[in-house]
Amino acid sequence: MTESNQLRLPDPTRVDYGEFNKSSRTRRQLLHAAMTHLAEEGFSNFSAGAIASRVNFTRAALLYHFPNRAALIEAVVYFVVRKRIEIYEQAMSSLSLDEKFGERLIEHAWDHLQDDSFKAFCELSTIARSNQELSKIFQPALNEYDRMRRQLAFTYFPESLLADPTLDLRRDLVRYLLEGLAQQRGMSYAERERTENIMRLIRELVTTKEGEGILSRAVNRQSALEHELDR
């Protein structure tokens, strides 16, 4: 990776003291348990005792690694964001640069959103809107997540997409429509059919010539508006 492709967030599993490998494995185990607990139980039920019990640790053992709730929350934020980037990069590096690239990218993106890292991410995002202390940690991490995803796109996307002026709009459509769909699992009727229709629409917009025309018109219209405002 080039320097710009390095994730600028601390690695909360890294240790600089004691038995390095053992301590790092322990921290990773605890943070994975914390991420899962956050995804399943929510932020209001987030506590050192609850996390420790998931992996048969004592609360004192957890506090050895994360001395208070604030330190644990900060570590979990970094762990969750790093985990999402790790999953995204693994998916990107596995895709073949052929005519099916866009369709497989959408499939990988949807699979990613079923992971506990996304559910925990959503919980942190929601709580950070009203919790100033969490927001101070989460917002910079969110900005870094967005920057890193874009950098990885420029690393792994085919040249034809990188040269397309609709690239950012395509990425945003896939990301935000799928994330919204993943969060809104409360459809009252025909959930499967409605989900499939939305997925089909996303594929049409970002992988077909017709969709390319719609996106191009949207980008060109925006550029024209900005040009008028600058005059």
Side-chain angles (χ1 to χ4, degrees):
M1 279 190 180
T2 64
E3 185 177 350
S4 62
N5 277 3
Q6 294 289 342
L7 187 59
R8 302 167 187 167
L9 286 178
D11 181 354
T13 66
R14 182 178 175 179
V15 291
D16 298 314
Y17 57 88
E19 300 177 60
F20 295 122
N21 290 336
K22 183 177 179 180
S23 294
S24 182
R25 286 196 302 270
T26 299
R27 288 169 72 91
R28 182 173 295 278
Q29 185 179 11
L30 287 168
L31 288 170
H32 192 275
M35 179 181 74
T36 302
H37 187 81
L38 189 60
E40 294 177 355
E41 306 295 335
F43 192 80
S44 61
N45 296 311
F46 191 83
S47 68
I51 306 310
S53 67
R54 277 183 171 262
V55 284
N56 295 319
F57 272 56
T58 64
R59 187 173 182 276
L62 184 145
L63 292 175
Y64 170 78
H65 293 277
F66 309 103
N68 51 53
R69 190 170 186 267
L72 177 59
I73 290 172
E74 181 179 48
V76 169
V77 168
Y78 296 149
F79 184 81
V80 167
V81 172
R82 292 179 70 93
K83 181 66 174 176
R84 292 202 68 197
I85 287 296
E86 178 186 325
I87 293 172
Y88 182 74
E89 182 169 18
Q90 286 174 350
M92 290 295 93
S93 63
S94 71
L95 295 179
S96 301
L97 302 181
D98 55 26
E99 68 278 1
K100 296 291 185 180
F101 177 86
E103 291 184 20
R104 283 195 292 269
L105 179 62
I106 293 169
E107 291 170 2
H108 276 293
W110 181 245
D111 289 343
H112 175 186
L113 300 181
Q114 315 313 308
D115 190 81
D116 280 341
S117 61
F118 174 67
K119 298 171 187 175
F121 186 91
C122 289
E123 181 70 8
L124 291 168
S125 178
T126 299
I127 300 302
R129 291 173 192 151
S130 57
N131 184 313
Q132 273 196 332
E133 291 305 310
L134 177 59
S135 181
K136 288 177 183 177
I137 303 167
F138 184 75
Q139 191 57 50
L142 177 60
N143 293 341
E144 177 61 10
Y145 173 77
D146 190 59
R147 184 197 71 83
M148 191 64 186
R149 274 182 61 105
R150 195 169 193 276
Q151 285 300 125
L152 290 172
F154 276 89
T155 300
Y156 292 107
F157 277 30
E159 290 294 330
S160 57
L161 270 180
L162 296 179
D164 192 323
T166 69
L167 173 64
D168 283 331
L169 181 54
R170 288 172 186 254
R171 291 179 57 250
D172 287 344
L173 276 170
V174 172
R175 177 181 171 185
Y176 294 112
L177 284 177
L178 288 184
E179 287 187 0
L181 182 60
Q183 292 181 68
Q184 298 300 320
R185 289 302 183 87
M187 293 181 179
S188 58
Y189 69 94
E191 178 180 354
R192 180 177 177 180
E193 178 183 353
R194 293 162 71 191
T195 298
E196 289 177 351
N197 285 339
I198 294 171
M199 295 292 286
R200 191 175 300 110
L201 172 63
I202 295 171
R203 286 193 294 270
E204 288 288 324
L205 283 172
V206 301
T207 67
T208 68
K209 287 294 183 182
E210 292 82 358
E212 182 180 340
I214 294 171
L215 299 182
S216 294
R217 287 194 294 275
V219 170
N220 291 338
R221 186 173 294 118
Q222 180 62 29
S223 298
L225 287 172
E226 291 173 356
H227 180 70
E228 285 296 321
L229 290 173
D230 289 339
R231 290 179 62 181

